[in-house]
Amino acid sequence: LDIGALDELREIAIRDDHLVIGALVTYAALIASPLVQEWLPMLCDAARTVGGPQIQNRGTIGGNVANGSPAGDTLPVLAASDAMLRLRCLDAERCVPLTRFYSGYRTTVMRPDELIVSVEVPRVLGSQWFRKVGTRAALAISKTVIAAIGGTSPRIAVGSVAPTVVRLWATERVLARGGTIDDAIAALRIEIHPIDDLRSTADYRLRVTENLVRRFWSEHA
């Protein structure tokens, strides 16, 4: 089913103090949008790492979300920023937090008659940080990917380390209450469950994720 003709799903706007991004907004449009650059610059950073120009001009944020791959580059950004997904069917509409959208590997709570119409992000307070680790800077699936927000209430989400994108709730709580980074890393090791596959090993993914969390906190505590 090609929904490419639904131009109303290509809008980027601010409504009710939320950044609203239509499901058919492409990566290229995200990168070029002054609103996204101002409101959620780490989403622009993530979009720049997705494939090459052809993919960035064709691929959409709604597609990345619906695909449900734990390696999706935009998903940690949306999870860390408390994004909501607006779902619509013929006679109803509902909003689901991105962190509750995935029920397992590539499975979601979306019903068969529903369509993702927009991603909605509340105002983000705190510095934003995004890193992707892959074989190459682009045109490569991430071995691990992280998005985080600094300050007194840190928020951290990671991809490619579990069946779904993971919001590091316990790790965040340790940092928020003034715990050491070593205590936070101990919590992290319980929250993520990397695997060995063709792209990397579980040990590598765990070590790199630990190092990224340490770097984020050293720069944005």
Side-chain angles (χ1 to χ4, degrees):
L1 177 64
D2 184 2
I3 62 172
L6 302 179
D7 288 337
E8 57 266 42
L9 301 188
R10 301 184 188 278
E11 181 185 34
I12 301 175
I14 302 295
R15 293 200 199 98
D16 299 326
D17 211 32
H18 281 67
L19 174 66
V20 179
I21 304 171
L24 290 184
V25 171
T26 64
Y27 301 112
L30 290 172
I31 296 167
S33 169
L35 283 178
V36 179
Q37 292 168 14
E38 176 184 357
W39 195 281
L40 201 61
M42 64 179 175
L43 183 57
C44 296
D45 294 338
R48 291 187 183 98
T49 71
V50 178
Q54 299 95 328
I55 293 175
Q56 291 175 8
N57 279 284
R58 182 67 174 171
T60 65
I61 190 168
N64 205 221
V65 170
N67 182 51
S69 168
D73 294 323
T74 68
L75 304 187
V77 173
L78 301 179
S81 58
D82 292 326
M84 303 286 291
L85 303 177
R86 187 170 295 276
L87 310 179
R88 186 180 300 163
C89 61
L90 282 176
D91 55 2
E93 186 174 270
R94 63 179 176 136
C95 285
V96 177
L98 188 283
T99 53
R100 298 180 185 176
F101 184 65
Y102 300 106
S103 54
Y105 178 70
R106 291 184 182 269
T107 59
T108 75
V109 300
M110 190 164 60
R111 295 189 291 263
D113 62 343
E114 288 182 316
L115 181 72
I116 300 172
V117 295
S118 64
V119 176
E120 303 182 5
V121 182
R123 187 175 296 277
V124 175
L125 301 178
S127 54
Q128 300 178 29
W129 197 80
F130 173 84
R131 294 291 186 277
K132 172 180 176 177
V133 176
T135 307
R136 295 172 292 185
L139 295 172
I141 301 173
S142 61
K143 295 183 178 184
T144 185
V145 56
I146 181 172
I149 298 167
T152 57
S153 299
R155 288 177 273 169
I156 310 170
V158 291
S160 286
V161 294
T164 68
V165 62
V166 178
R167 177 74 180 266
L168 300 179
W169 303 103
T171 305
E172 294 172 4
R173 286 194 293 270
V174 172
L175 296 173
R177 66 170 181 255
T180 68
I181 186 62
D182 288 335
D183 290 338
I185 294 302
L188 165 69
R189 290 170 181 163
I190 298 172
E191 292 194 282
I192 66 175
H193 306 282
I195 62 170
D196 296 320
D197 63 16
L198 293 175
R199 290 182 288 112
S200 193
T201 66
D203 287 343
Y204 177 85
R205 287 187 166 106
L206 179 60
R207 178 64 62 86
V208 169
T209 304
E210 291 176 3
N211 290 342
L212 289 172
V213 170
R214 289 181 184 276
R215 178 188 287 185
F216 156 69
W217 197 237
S218 69
E219 296 176 4
H220 296 269

